[in-house]
Amino acid sequence: MSRNYKFHNPAGIYFVSFAVVNWIDIFVRRQYFDIVVDSLDYCAKSKGLELNAYCIMPSHVHLIFQSHDKLPSHILRDLKKHTSKKLKSEIENNTKESRKEWVIDAMRTSGKGRSNMNGYQLWQQNNHPIELWSNKVIDQKLDYLHNNPVEAGFVDKPEKWLYSSAQNYVGDIGPLEVVKLV
């Protein structure tokens, strides 16, 4: 039986979370955050991603999205594959990265024996997509996603977290354009 949840409705709106292996805090440097931001922006402009909400935390990412092409699993697969390669390269080549060997070793250990990982794994395998079928569930997931940095103690208001669509939802402009759900 598959551990992974599935995108059963290709036209649905989904909440999805994916985490770095071993919950390593990778996103501690602006250039690492920006790789995910740039990749999401690319997927929105070129791959049919309709981004409704996002929050990039130090060890994981939350998204609410839908696919214009009705291929949400393909978008997520491509996003994770691309960001994994770019982040690995950025970490390896960052002369100021004090945790370089430790992070790369963790990626190598996680990817060992997995033919689809080319010897390295950055993202955990599971994504846990949840289809958002009602306004109540949409509101619940938006609240959870936007309040994640507050609950973690990083900021006192959701819109103060730079790498979150909470800014967009209060009328400001965040790093990424989103199609608001409410």
Side-chain angles (χ1 to χ4, degrees), residues 14-151:
Y14 285 93
F15 171 84
V16 65
S17 298
F18 48 99
V20 175
V21 295
N22 302 324
W23 290 88
I24 297 171
D25 288 339
I26 290 288
F27 302 106
V28 295
R29 300 183 191 282
R30 186 174 214 126
Q31 67 260 34
Y32 302 161
F33 279 103
D34 289 344
I35 287 171
V36 177
V37 168
D38 292 345
S39 297
L40 286 167
D41 187 51
Y42 174 80
C43 288
K45 291 177 178 170
S46 303
K47 291 195 165 273
L49 171 73
E50 181 174 295
L51 186 61
N52 304 114
Y54 66 93
C55 184
I56 307 168
M57 295 293 287
S59 63
H60 60 284
V61 176
H62 298 295
L63 303 175
I64 295 177
F65 77 101
Q66 45 199 312
S67 171
H68 291 299
D69 300 333
K70 298 182 175 45
L71 298 169
S73 62
H74 292 192
I75 290 173
L76 194 58
R77 176 200 64 208
D78 293 351
L79 175 73
K80 287 175 70 175
K81 182 176 181 180
H82 176 76
T83 55
S84 180
K85 288 179 183 179
K86 289 284 285 187
L87 286 161
K88 177 182 176 280
S89 176
E90 187 70 28
I91 292 165
E92 285 178 326
N93 295 311
N94 187 344
T95 57
K96 296 181 179 179
E97 181 55 74
S98 60
R99 307 170 308 146
K100 181 186 314 190
E101 289 79 17
W102 175 72
V103 171
I104 296 300
D105 186 55
M107 290 172 61
R108 186 180 302 113
T109 300
S110 294
K112 191 177 285 186
R114 297 178 189 260
S115 61
N116 62 335
M117 295 295 155
N118 295 326
Y120 294 89
Q121 180 179 349
L122 175 73
W123 299 110
Q124 292 179 21
Q125 293 281 355
N126 53 341
N127 302 312
H128 196 148
I130 299 170
E131 186 174 4
L132 307 182
W133 65 91
S134 71
N135 288 337
K136 181 180 178 181
V137 175
I138 288 170
D139 290 343
Q140 178 190 41
K141 294 304 180 189
L142 271 172
D143 185 57
Y144 173 81
L145 179 149
H146 286 152
N147 279 299
N148 211 228
V150 176
E151 293 295 322

